[in-house]
Amino acid sequence: ARGHGRHVKQSGGHGQYAVCDIEVEPLPRGAGFEFVDRVVGGAVPHNYIPSVEKGVRAQMERGVVAGYPVVDVRVTLFDGKAHSVDSSDAAFQTAGALALRDAAEKGQPALLEPVDEVTVRVPDSSVGAVMGDLSGRRGRVLGTESDPDSDGRTLVRAEVPATELLRYAVELRSMTAGTGTFRRSFVRYDPMPPHLADQIRKEHPTP
């Protein structure tokens, strides 16, 4: 999506003037942030291009959806306008932030959620119940194997969104009469299902 940032104010003495146009595109997960300068003809003076990047980075930290940071995007600055007197570092920082917000409104930013790999150690008689429960938590069962350290027990491995594991220790004990244990470790971030993302957007509107 393309974003337009215009910050123009006049309040006696020097005003504030900065306009910038950016294009925002997704990068592969974990790629981080890239800023590309494709301004031609001095539309944005060279000394203000870092200011635009600084403003974009600041808005990425503040977020464009529900206050969560923006990750894995390339932002290309391709046009803008400056004023010989009223342009400044601060004005172009503000314009860069406004441009990112504008692009976010036009694009479709996805909310990501942390996913954990979970290994559950349970009696063989509880395997079916545990696997069904993990599936009900939006989990993806990766496989099962006999516990090499114990007869009559099975290890169930699955990937589960971290938000679905908030009370898992208590509920696993209840499900297995206190005999089940588990360990978990962070794996990656995945896109959140649209209905849950919409709920978070409503609960935490972007200012």
Side-chain angles (χ1 to χ4, degrees), residues 45-177:
H46 186 70
N47 55 310
Y48 291 136
I49 289 172
S51 306
V52 176
E53 179 178 357
K54 193 181 296 184
V56 167
R57 285 181 178 272
Q59 187 63 53
M60 287 176 63
E61 285 298 316
R62 290 192 294 268
V64 296
V65 177
Y68 293 105
V70 178
V71 296
D72 303 332
V73 293
R74 176 186 293 118
V75 173
T76 301
L77 174 65
F78 65 89
D79 201 4
K81 292 180 182 177
H83 188 278
S84 58
V85 176
D86 293 342
S87 288
S88 65
D89 168 61
F92 270 101
Q93 284 190 47
T94 301
L98 291 171
L100 184 66
R101 289 176 67 119
D102 185 49
E105 289 177 7
K106 297 171 183 173
Q108 295 179 317
L111 275 176
L112 303 178
E113 63 178 346
V115 175
D116 288 354
E117 182 172 320
V118 180
T119 302
V120 190
R121 183 172 177 263
V122 294
D124 293 348
S125 58
S126 299
V127 170
V130 167
M131 289 175 64
D133 177 72
L134 290 170
S135 296
R137 295 173 188 272
R138 299 190 287 126
R140 184 168 67 92
V141 175
L142 304 176
T144 62
E145 60 187 81
S146 297
D147 182 358
D149 300 325
S150 173
D151 287 335
R153 287 184 175 268
T154 296
L155 299 178
V156 181
R157 291 191 307 114
E159 291 181 348
V160 187
T163 53
E164 300 286 347
L165 295 170
L166 296 179
R167 289 180 48 80
Y168 191 59
V170 174
E171 288 159 359
L172 178 64
R173 280 200 299 272
S174 173
M175 217 183 325
T176 61

Side-chain angles (χ1 to χ4, degrees), residues 109-111 113 138 191-202:
L111 275 176
E113 63 178 346
R138 299 190 287 126
M192 182 174 277
H195 70 284
L196 294 178
D198 289 343
Q199 182 178 330
I200 287 182
R201 286 185 174 97
K202 290 175 184 174

Side-chain angles (χ1 to χ4, degrees), residues 3-7 18-22 80 92 94-100 102:
H4 178 71
R6 185 177 187 273
H7 181 63
V19 178
C20 65
D21 291 286
I22 63 172
F92 270 101
T94 301
L98 291 171
L100 184 66
D102 185 49

